[in-house]
Amino acid sequence: MKENRGCRRAISGGFRICSAAASDIMGRVKVSMYRILIVDDEFLVRLGLKTTIDWNAHGYDVVGEASNGNEALEMVASLKPDIILVDIKMPLMDGLDFIKRAKEISRDLSFLILTNYESFQYAKRAVQLGVSQYLLKSEINGEVLLAALEEITKGYQEQAERSRGSDWERMKYLSSSLSRGQINRPIAEERLEIPPRGLFPNPTYAVIKYHCNISSMNEQSIGMLSKTMASLVTAEYPGVTYVEVFFQMHYYLTLIVPVDRDVDISVFFRDKSQMIARKIKYYFSAALRGGISEALPPEKIPEMLNQAERARRSCFFGNEPFIMYDSGFQGQLREMEKVHVSSSRTAAFLTDGDYEGIRSYVRNIFEILRRQMNYANVRHAFFDFLSNGKSFLEKLDGEEKELLSARLDYDNWNALTSIDEAENYIYDVFEMLIQQTHDGGARYSISVRKSISYIEENYALNITLQDVADHVSISKNYLSMLFKQETGINFVSYLNRYRIEKAKQLLTTTNMKIYEIADSVGFYSPYYFSKVFKEITKMQCKEYRDKYSVIEQEED
């Protein structure tokens, strides 16, 4: 995968940090047109202003015009102008009242007052209220108008530069914090720096840690996932600072989000997260999970980073995709002694071919791990079981040894999304080891056998990997890994080969049309069916039928 702008390699962790925020900041070099609203009760004045200069050529877009303050207020809300040219004296609502009420709608508005000599004192009052510029109507020409607008936009640009600088500094702080520890573990708080005073100006923030497994995605899909997540979080969390990390077949997105005092964060963040997760599920068939910290002052951000990570890890032990940290977590997630996995007992079960014994032993170990709710301890126990399996495998010979070695690779941990999957994985591995030594060779694991049965029963339907994973009650990524390891091909290839075998039978034993056969074996496009048939059999459908048919064919 190519490095994006704003990405860098974190040396200590060996993972890629990519700040979507950084790319966004650097991409905002070209400023879009400033939106102009003209408010004056005189039609000829409005017409003259619109035709005095070539607005678009100078970076402005006249988005509307109004003849009084009431009408203009509605336009402020709907058109969202940046600069308003407003007459000081108008019917229904004068310019000063309009300015006050417009600022209640948007604090970021700038105003350019249009006035006659007799209302000059009003103009001075408006300037005292914070109005940017005023012009005498009798002196307005293109040069004067552009000069006044330039003074206003200069302030916008300076403010934008300050904002971009602050965004960049906040992103750098978060990137630096994440690079100080492994992304999927809590970071020792003494290694983290408290953000400089004023860097995060909001009185209260929360930290969110999203993640999903990307092992079954191609490079293009991963790139689209990154862009989609960036778009979603900036839309849902105004003022957010975020950094994404790709690490060990997982995508992590860490956010620092300003929190309004009146918001119920337990409801607000869960609702937002579930909405984002639904879209990621729809577009990428990926299960998004996450942990959410307490809402605390910005000097507590190092603590909140660890709270969010601990909450994220707790998703591993249950069915809740988004979990809020609370004070009870510290007791639940306290560091406990690692569970001891006995190598001698494991070896004895394997040597004796005692699958029920090893199953009972694994179940007891995982019951303790569930009570502990300690992610690190589950990982250590998982690795210990695989290590014991490796030691036993070294004593064996046979063609299946390579397959079993792949199943015993420690990196397989990264495809697991729950403690249930970890436990089932150990059951499957030890069942296959016992089959290798006592039953004449390793067969498929229970999960893969169930998957193959489901394919054989439903191949004529429009089934997907997700459908099969749901049937077997494991995650799509986990099943994808198992299927490739045990069958040597991916799910789609296996399904297509099975369908083609059924098609070959129909071609040689029936007079069904090609498109009828395609439909009956689960291909809803005759063209795609013919393409896959040729790739697998190296023959066209008609050629295969002519060569192997056992019945007399009807003439077309």
Side-chain angles (χ1 to χ4, degrees):
M1 191 166 16
K2 294 180 180 178
E3 297 286 335
N4 297 328
R5 282 187 306 177
C7 300
R8 62 188 178 85
R9 180 75 61 174
I11 297 173
S12 61
F15 49 80
R16 191 181 81 167
I17 290 180
C18 175
S19 169
S23 297
D24 180 58
I25 291 166
M26 290 188 286
R28 286 181 287 167
V29 175
K30 184 178 180 180
V31 179
S32 59
M33 286 191 175
Y34 293 101
R35 298 167 65 82
I36 304 291
L37 175 63
I38 298 173
V39 186
D40 196 295
D41 61 323
E42 298 181 53
F43 170 76
L44 292 177
V45 173
R46 299 199 304 272
L47 179 63
L49 288 171
K50 288 170 63 178
T51 57
T52 296
I53 61 173
D54 184 345
W55 292 91
N56 289 348
H58 290 89
Y60 304 99
D61 182 17
V62 178
V63 295
E65 56 179 285
S67 60
N68 60 68
N70 287 337
E71 183 183 356
L73 280 177
E74 296 179 4
M75 293 183 174
V76 169
S78 61
L79 300 178
K80 296 180 172 52
D82 300 306
I83 303 169
I84 300 178
L85 281 58
V86 57
D87 187 5
I88 202 82
K89 286 186 125 182
M90 295 181 294
L92 302 180
M93 182 189 301
D94 69 23
L96 292 181
D97 287 339
F98 165 73
I99 290 169
K100 290 177 183 177
R101 294 181 62 180
K103 282 198 166 185
E104 293 173 1
I105 298 173
S106 174
R107 296 179 181 178
D108 297 328
L109 284 170
S110 294
F111 298 89
L112 196 162
I113 292 281
L114 308 175
T115 181
N116 294 311
Y117 282 109
E118 59 267 24
S119 58
F120 188 69
Q121 291 304 315
Y122 287 100
K124 289 203 297 186
R125 282 182 54 203
V127 171
Q128 291 171 357
L129 292 173
V131 173
S132 303
Q133 293 284 319
Y134 67 89
L135 291 178
L136 298 176
K137 287 184 177 181
S138 60
E139 296 180 356
I140 292 178
N141 58 41
E143 185 177 346
V144 170
L145 183 58
L146 284 173
L149 290 169
E150 186 176 346
E151 284 299 313
I152 294 174
T153 57
K154 186 187 299 182
Y156 271 117
Q157 291 167 359
E158 290 173 355
Q159 182 180 359
E161 287 299 325
R162 288 193 297 271
S163 176
R164 282 196 289 270
S166 298
D167 288 347
W168 180 259
E169 290 301 320
R170 284 191 284 270
M171 182 279 299
K172 281 204 305 183
Y173 168 80
L174 181 54
S175 292
S176 175
S177 298
L178 294 176
S179 69
R180 291 172 185 267
Q182 199 162 346
I183 188 65
N184 59 357
R185 297 180 186 178
I187 306 168
E189 289 181 21
E190 61 270 17
R191 299 181 63 189
L192 297 179
E193 296 179 0
I194 296 173
R197 184 180 297 274
L199 181 60
F200 292 90
N202 211 63
T204 310
Y205 287 85
V207 171
I208 306 174
K209 173 74 73 63
Y210 290 135
H211 92 279
C212 66
N213 190 294
I214 57 174
S215 59
S216 63
M217 293 186 189
N218 58 32
E219 184 174 347
Q220 183 179 9
S221 295
I222 293 171
M224 287 302 300
L225 170 68
S226 171
K227 292 178 181 178
T228 302
M229 284 297 293
S231 176
L232 289 171
V233 299
T234 52
E236 297 302 323
Y237 303 121
V240 66
T241 298
Y242 58 99
V243 170
E244 60 183 7
V245 176
F246 301 91
F247 183 53
Q248 293 182 337
M249 295 190 287
H250 285 266
Y251 170 80
Y252 298 87
L253 188 70
T254 303
L255 302 85
I256 301 177
V257 184
V259 178
D260 292 337
R261 294 177 181 176
D262 299 332
V263 167
D264 182 343
I265 64 169
S266 63
V267 175
F268 176 80
F269 285 118
R270 277 204 177 100
D271 286 350
K272 294 286 188 183
S273 297
Q274 288 167 359
M275 183 278 295
I276 293 171
R278 285 194 295 271
K279 293 186 178 181
I280 295 303
K281 177 78 170 179
Y282 179 79
Y283 289 113
F284 300 98
S285 297
L288 190 70
R289 296 188 173 198
I292 304 161
S293 78
E294 297 175 299
L296 298 171
E299 59 268 23
K300 297 287 188 179
I301 285 176
E303 180 181 340
M304 287 188 277
L305 286 167
N306 279 337
Q307 287 182 357
E309 173 57 21
R310 291 190 175 102
R312 184 194 71 81
R313 284 180 165 213
S314 69
C315 297
F316 191 79
F317 295 92
N319 296 320
E320 195 67 37
F322 300 103
I323 293 182
M324 297 285 304
Y325 181 91
D326 62 50
S327 56
F329 269 34
Q330 202 58 44
Q332 294 174 10
L333 299 174
R334 64 186 180 276
E335 290 298 321
M336 300 179 179
E337 290 186 10
K338 291 189 296 183
V339 176
H340 176 66
V341 177
S342 171
S343 57
S344 59
R345 291 191 67 184
T346 304
F349 288 130
L350 291 172
T351 301
D352 295 342
D354 185 359
Y355 182 67
E356 288 305 316
I358 190 65
R359 189 175 181 86
S360 176
Y361 181 61
V362 171
R363 183 167 56 248
N364 291 337
I365 292 291
F366 274 86
E367 284 176 358
I368 297 171
L369 293 170
R370 282 186 175 85
R371 289 196 298 270
Q372 288 186 343
M373 285 189 68
N374 187 298
Y375 182 88
N377 283 0
V378 180
R379 186 177 61 242
H380 287 308
F382 183 86
F383 288 170
D384 285 345
F385 275 120
L386 293 192
S387 178
N388 293 343
K390 284 175 179 282
S391 297
F392 184 79
L393 185 63
E394 290 302 316
K395 305 171 185 178
L396 303 180
D397 296 314
E399 296 179 358
E400 302 295 338
K401 189 172 182 179
E402 184 176 347
L403 166 62
L404 290 169
S405 295
R407 293 300 308 274
L408 292 165
D409 192 320
Y410 297 137
D411 283 343
N412 293 330
W413 167 262
N414 297 315
L416 306 178
T417 59
S418 70
I419 191 171
D420 291 342
E421 287 184 358
E423 182 176 3
N424 288 332
Y425 191 95
I426 298 301
Y427 290 151
D428 283 347
V429 164
F430 282 104
E431 180 192 37
M432 294 179 75
L433 283 169
I434 289 173
Q435 288 171 348
Q436 172 69 9
T437 52
H438 295 275
D439 296 336
R443 295 187 296 271
Y444 295 142
S445 64
I446 294 173
S447 296
V448 173
R449 290 202 301 269
K450 287 182 178 178
S451 299
I452 290 174
S453 295
Y454 186 86
I455 290 171
E456 291 174 351
E457 293 170 6
N458 298 279
Y459 68 91
L461 304 176
N462 185 26
I463 59 174
T464 65
L465 178 62
Q466 186 66 60
D467 295 328
V468 182
D470 291 343
H471 174 74
V472 183
S473 299
I474 58 179
S475 74
K476 184 183 76 169
N477 292 311
Y478 177 38
L479 178 59
S480 176
M481 177 190 68
L482 291 186
F483 217 92
K484 182 67 181 291
Q485 285 181 352
E486 296 185 25
T487 68
I489 57 176
N490 62 32
F491 167 80
V492 172
S493 295
Y494 188 96
L495 176 60
N496 282 343
R497 290 187 183 188
Y498 189 83
R499 285 170 166 168
I500 294 303
E501 286 303 312
K502 292 296 182 182
K504 286 159 67 175
Q505 295 175 17
L506 294 175
L507 280 168
T508 57
T509 61
T510 74
N511 283 318
M512 292 173 65
K513 305 294 185 183
I514 300 298
Y515 69 86
E516 293 174 333
I517 293 175
D519 185 68
S520 68
V521 299
F523 288 97
Y524 296 100
S525 164
Y527 170 78
Y528 182 60
F529 165 67
S530 298
K531 181 175 179 292
V532 173
F533 191 93
K534 177 69 180 297
E535 288 175 353
I536 292 176
T537 67
K538 310 304 179 187
M539 300 174 70
Q540 299 287 354
C541 294
K542 186 176 185 307
E543 181 184 0
Y544 187 90
R545 168 173 271 172
D546 291 343
K547 184 173 182 178
Y548 295 109
S549 180
V550 296
I551 64 172
E552 186 176 344
Q553 299 299 314
E554 297 177 353
E555 293 185 4
D556 294 336

